[in-house]
Amino acid sequence: MHEMALTQDLVGLIAANCAGRRVTRVVLEVGKLAAVVPDAFRFCFELCAEGTPAEGAALEIVELPGRGVCRDCERECELNSAFDRCPCGSVALEFLSGEELNLREVEVM
């Protein structure tokens, strides 16, 4: 479960930059193609935040849509997973968006 390693890094980054203040809310952007399971990330966040300034903080995950362009028909399409096909049936897709994993906001007291 790579969500645990990602969450550990995220909590470490937050703790290192919150100047000892208590974190009340974290907003994370996760692309549909990022291979991150939001529910697993929430579970890991709760565990990793224990004993840190982020303990008890609300985690808000904003899912960003995936978009790709087909190398065969040049059509742009929405993607819900990295394994989706173009409506033409091709799997030759170039991802345009949806692989993001961004820390958008941290609220502290």
Side-chain angles (χ1 to χ4, degrees):
M1 176 191 305
H2 70 281
E3 283 86 357
M4 182 62 82
L6 291 171
T7 308
Q8 288 171 327
D9 289 345
L10 176 70
V11 170
L13 176 69
I14 291 168
N17 289 285
C18 72
R21 295 182 291 173
R22 187 172 158 280
V23 176
T24 57
R25 183 170 161 254
V26 174
V27 180
L28 186 67
E29 295 176 330
V30 177
K32 289 248 185 194
L33 309 178
V36 172
V37 178
D39 286 340
F41 205 95
R42 282 184 188 92
F43 175 78
C44 293
F45 182 80
E46 198 171 307
L47 292 175
C48 292
E50 286 181 14
T52 75
E55 184 172 4
L59 175 63
E60 180 182 332
I61 296 179
V62 178
E63 288 192 75
L64 303 175
R67 300 229 27 100
V69 64
C70 180
R71 292 186 186 114
D72 292 334
C73 74
E74 299 181 1
R75 183 186 305 178
E76 193 172 312
C77 56
E78 186 170 323
L79 303 170
N80 290 310
S81 87
F83 304 106
D84 280 357
R85 294 175 177 261
C86 175
C88 78
S90 175
V91 293
L93 297 169
E94 177 183 339
F95 298 152
L96 301 175
S97 65
E99 296 178 290
E100 301 88 353
L101 182 59
N102 300 318
L103 177 58
R104 183 166 73 183
E105 187 177 334
V106 177
E107 286 183 9
V108 294
M109 291 182 71

